[in-house]
């Protein structure tokens, strides 16, 4: 078992100050501090002229800066709404309060009662009348966080990252605003939010490798859910015609800029709709979320819905273009997706550049890969990263979509779309298959060349039974919330928009 780290010299010095706080009769870790207001609201009460006493205020926050000038001490504290300067004057405080102030360090949490006033230089300040210690910090703020060069340290100690790295807290609070906007849009469309099981007996509803766990009392293996789909469709059968769930989903796969093993997803189902209904709904959800982001920056009624993306920008102004899978394949892959030999040649070409695995090509050459699987592999390698969007890619090869209704008169095409923005898949939607016999057949169909974790061919007998009861024709939609936040906050890594992304455990010591 790892031993606790030995206190460094900074912690030793801070513990000595903690003992002094106790000697002065104060609790170094604080008590209730009722009636305090936000720093942002306190700043608004400051008089315009220098040297004039304003309203009395009570605030609480963390010490971010301190400096001294003769018999004056200046501190900056911040809360979730902003920063403010404190001014401690030796002549205005009791001996006990002045001594207590001397035990404070950067990172300490304090409560302040005082009067708003502008300094001679015009700085909005609180002239301190009473100091209350609310939490002694025993850790020296790491210098590495000033500039945030150590990404691993930032993510591992996210609590410190939120305090000391500029913009991190604002971005993650903006995430909550975006999530709230999504819920508001759906409430406005009379969708009902539900909660469905996280532990599944069958890892269905998506093509992904699951995490496996074991239930001791029932002595059965269970899977952490890889999708929300099949239980939500059961609820449509049961009569909830507009239903959604926003929740954590778990996939035992790699970690990169757009993937984390646990992530937040929303799945939405609308009875008597189809994938076109879901395109309209997707556009409404995303554009309303963009408006919420712009409103946060003071743009309440923008003519165009434009957000920054590095040195470029993304224009979310609707309507968004809708292009077929076949059109985009021909445009960016350079061949017709029904020309099997040309598609295979393109796959070989992509393998030369490392964007398709050599093992896949070997299977293809041996004739062990379904033609639509080759098409899909080429599409992911040669097309997706070129789709800047927002762009709806519609009408996919049916063999790749076993939960999707086929296009009338075109059984080889599935009524499915994916929304792409900056080469990233943001949403995936279907006209839902509600024919129980066809669904049962497709659950049993494993395409050649498709690995088990990439296949949706997983039999769920109870879901087939539910379809036999009768599920209305419907549209279904899934949106990756983390990716949505990435795009709306100009973030290149999914780890930047998740409070606690998965990291390797720290080694002992």
């Amino acid at each position: 078992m790892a031993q606790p780290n030995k206190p460094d010299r900074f912690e030793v010095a801070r513990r000595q100050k903690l003992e002094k706080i106790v000697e002065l009769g104060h609790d170094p870790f604080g008590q209730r501090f009722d009636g305090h207001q936000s720093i942002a609201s306190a700043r608004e009460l400051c008089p315009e002229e220098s040297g004039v006493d304003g309203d009395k205020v009570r605030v609480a926050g963390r010490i971010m800066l301190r400096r001294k000038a003769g018999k004056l001490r200046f501190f900056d504290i911040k809360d979730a709404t902003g920063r403010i300067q404190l001014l401690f004057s030796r002549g205005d405080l009791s001996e006990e309060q002045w001594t207590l102030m001397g035990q404070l360090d950067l990172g300490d949490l304090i409560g302040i009662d005082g009067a708003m006033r502008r300094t001679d230089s015009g700085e909005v300040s609180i002239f301190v009348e009473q100091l209350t210690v609310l939490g002694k910090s025993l850790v020296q703020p790491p210098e590495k966080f000033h500039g945030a060069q150590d990404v691993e340290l930032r993510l591992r100690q996210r609590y410190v990252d939120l305090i000391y790295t500029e913009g991190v807290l604002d971005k993650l609070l903006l995430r909550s605003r975006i999530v709230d906007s999504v819920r508001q849009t759906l409430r406005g469309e009379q969708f009902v939010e539900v909660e469905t099981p996280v532990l599944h007996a069958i890892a269905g509803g998506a093509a992904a490798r699951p995490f496996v766990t074991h239930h001791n009392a029932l002595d059965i293996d269970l899977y952490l859910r890889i999708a929300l789909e099949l239980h939500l469709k059961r609820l449509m059968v049961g009569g909830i015609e507009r239903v959604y769930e926003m929740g954590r989903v778990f996939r035992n796969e790699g970690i990169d800029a757009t993937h984390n093993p646990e992530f937040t997803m929303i799945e939405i189902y609308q009875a008597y709709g189809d994938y076109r209904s879901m395109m309209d709904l997707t556009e409404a959800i995303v554009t309303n979320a963009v408006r919420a982001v712009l409103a946060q920056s003071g743009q309440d009624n923008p003519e165009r819905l434009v957000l920054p993306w590095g040195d470029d920008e993304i224009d979310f102004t609707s309507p968004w273009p809708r292009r077929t899978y076949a059109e985009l394949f021909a445009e960016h892959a350079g061949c017709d997706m029904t020309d099997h030999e040309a598609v295979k040649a393109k796959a070989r070409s992509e393998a030369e550049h490392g964007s398709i695995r050599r093992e896949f090509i070997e299977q293809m050459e041996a004739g062990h890969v379904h033609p639509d699987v080759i098409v899909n592999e080429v599409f992911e390698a040669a097309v997706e990263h070129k789709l800047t969007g927002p762009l709806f890619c519609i009408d996919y090869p049916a063999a790749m979509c076993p939960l999707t209704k086929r296009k009338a008169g075109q059984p080889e095409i599935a009524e499915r779309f994916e929304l792409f923005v900056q080469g990233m898949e943001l949403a995936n939607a279907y006209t839902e298959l509600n024919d129980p016999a066809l669904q049962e057949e497709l659950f049993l169909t494993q395409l050649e060349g498709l690995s088990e974790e990439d296949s949706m061919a997983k039999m769920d007998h109870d879901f087939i039974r539910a379809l036999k009861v009768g599920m209305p024709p419907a549209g279904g939609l899934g949106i990756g919330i983390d990716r949505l936040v990435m795009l709306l906050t100009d973030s290149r890594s999914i780890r930047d928009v998740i409070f606690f992304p998965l990291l390797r455990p720290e080694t002992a010591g």
Side-chain angles (χ1 to χ4, degrees), residues 248 251 254-256 258-263 494 498 501-502:
R248 301 296 267 184
R251 297 181 181 178
I255 298 174
D256 60 26
T258 59
H259 294 87
N260 193 64
E262 59 171 312
F263 58 98
I494 195 170
I498 295 176
L502 184 65

Side-chain angles (χ1 to χ4, degrees), residues 142-188:
E143 279 301 316
K144 290 180 181 179
F145 280 87
H146 301 288
Q149 291 95 357
D150 193 332
V151 175
E152 179 79 8
L153 181 63
R154 283 182 48 206
L155 295 174
R156 196 172 296 284
Q157 298 182 29
R158 179 66 98 182
Y159 38 89
V160 183
D161 191 26
L162 290 167
I163 298 168
Y164 295 106
T165 306
E166 193 71 31
V168 172
L169 179 60
D170 291 340
K171 179 177 290 187
L172 289 168
L173 290 177
L174 189 55
R175 175 192 175 107
S176 296
R177 190 180 181 96
I178 292 167
V179 167
D180 186 54
S181 168
V182 172
R183 285 193 163 104
Q184 286 184 41
T185 299
L186 291 170
R187 279 197 296 271

Side-chain angles (χ1 to χ4, degrees), residues 181 185 189 278-289 291 320:
S181 168
T185 299
E189 297 292 334
M278 294 297 101
M279 278 184 251
D280 295 338
L281 182 61
T282 303
E283 207 163 296
I285 287 170
V286 176
T287 55
N288 285 342
R291 288 188 182 94
W320 300 340

